[in-house]
Amino acid sequence: MDIPATLIQVLRGARRVAALTGAGVSAESGVPTFRDAQTGLWARYDPHELATPEAFQRNPRLVWEWYAWRREKVAGVEPNPGHYALAEMERRFPEFTLITQNVDGLHRRAGSRRVLELHGDITRSKCFVCGSSAEAWTEKGEIPPRCPACGGRLRPGVVWFGEMLPERLLAAAMDAAARCEVFFSIGTSSLVYPAAALPEVALRAGATVVEVNPSETPLTPHATYSLRGLAGVVLPALLASFRPETARSGAGAAPD
Ligand code: OAD
């Protein structure tokens, strides 16, 4: 994968970097995306039947079991080179913020420590009634299980369509997008707001915006660079290209 020389130069001098990831970064780990025509979850299921509070009230068992199926799929997969490259970037850039729409927890499993999980985490559950998070519950055979605190039904700890994102996380993501010098948009169709607004915030603030996606998206015409490829291939190539130890020392870096 050829990385443009001008982009390598920008990365060499960058100190504040942010990255937004979507389902595409986990595709090479075997986790289904949402909108990819053949394999995407939404190609086979109707999101409004499964990923909304109304769907859960209509059919809590169906929604709980669909997320249990997705949890099983995620438990059985491993992070891929794209996840590991992003964990390495966190170690090499002086200020690196990883913002993800994914709920699979693979960035944390790959070693990323500062991850803003805008849409929550599929391995966590919380009470649909009192909202308290439930790490463990007594299985009494009832599906969904009951909240140990109030007896209400438990629900997946993810953001559903029509729900607000956690305010603190969104504010931190918007701040990172407004302050960064380089903003990566990786493996996302750039269709779901407010996450899809983040690269726009970065562009308006004068950042270099780099898209990594095998297909075009609504962001493509606006991105400074649009690298047409798989995250698991492009991100390791990017990392290898700019020898980030010079990024740490900043100005006056040793000549190549
Ligand atoms: P999508 O399924 O909408 O988009 C996945 C994107 O990843 C597409 O643009 C693919 O071209 C791209 N892609 C596929 N394989 C890739 C690879 N190996 N490397 C890089 N890119 C690849 O998933 P998201 O954009 O994450 O929200 O969807 C955003 C949100 O919509 C999700 O968080 C979810 C969904 O509804 C909620 O559930 C609230």
Side-chain angles (χ1 to χ4, degrees):
M1 175 84 206
D2 282 339
I3 307 298
T6 49
L7 173 55
I8 296 171
Q9 267 323 96
V10 166
L11 291 173
R12 281 209 174 120
R15 302 185 64 73
R16 292 188 308 281
V17 176
L20 169 68
T21 65
V25 80
S26 298
E28 291 154 271
S29 295
V31 180
T33 60
F34 291 93
R35 294 172 182 82
D36 283 332
Q38 270 55 46
T39 59
L41 289 171
W42 298 153
R44 287 175 291 154
Y45 299 99
D46 174 357
H48 300 293
E49 286 306 307
L50 291 164
T52 63
E54 295 73 22
F56 184 77
Q57 284 176 303
R58 225 182 2 256
N59 195 336
R61 184 185 186 96
L62 172 71
V63 173
W64 179 268
E65 288 185 332
W66 186 63
Y67 278 90
W69 171 74
R70 287 179 59 191
R71 263 196 297 276
E72 261 172 50
K73 279 194 89 63
V74 164
V77 302
E78 294 299 322
N80 68 60
H83 294 107
Y84 288 114
L86 285 161
E88 191 53 31
M89 284 191 195
E90 178 181 350
R91 288 188 280 272
R92 298 192 186 181
F93 283 110
E95 202 179 307
F96 185 81
T97 303
L98 181 56
I99 306 154
T100 189
Q101 302 170 91
N102 299 342
V103 296
D104 57 32
L106 288 178
H107 284 306
R108 282 186 281 109
R109 283 174 55 192
S112 292
R113 289 162 309 164
R114 180 168 146 69
V115 187
L116 303 179
E117 295 176 315
L118 293 184
H119 292 171
D121 173 353
I122 202 167
T123 62
R124 294 198 188 116
S125 301
K126 64 183 183 183
C127 178
F128 189 76
V129 176
C130 71
S132 52
S133 67
E135 299 304 320
W137 51 82
T138 40
E139 282 296 352
K140 292 188 183 127
E142 191 178 356
I143 297 179
R146 290 285 171 178
C147 164
C150 80
R153 282 199 176 97
L154 291 185
R155 56 161 283 178
V158 300
V159 174
W160 278 330
F161 286 105
E163 291 188 314
M164 302 292 286
L165 271 61
E167 242 171 79
R168 187 182 51 80
L169 289 186
L170 184 56
M174 287 289 175
D175 180 55
R179 297 179 61 253
C180 68
E181 296 155 278
V182 181
F183 187 95
F184 288 99
S185 177
I186 303 161
T188 178
S189 54
S190 290
L191 292 170
V192 174
Y193 283 77
L198 291 166
E200 296 162 10
V201 168
L203 273 172
R204 275 202 301 278
T208 297
V209 171
V210 186
E211 180 177 51
V212 177
N213 197 316
S215 316
E216 294 208 353
T217 75
L219 176 64
T220 304
H222 309 287
T224 322
Y225 298 91
S226 193
L227 307 180
R228 194 70 57 249
L230 304 181
V233 172
V234 173
L235 294 176
L238 263 171
L239 201 59
S241 71
F242 71 91
R243 281 212 291 288
E245 54 279 13
T246 53
R248 264 216 174 286
S249 50
D256 289 335

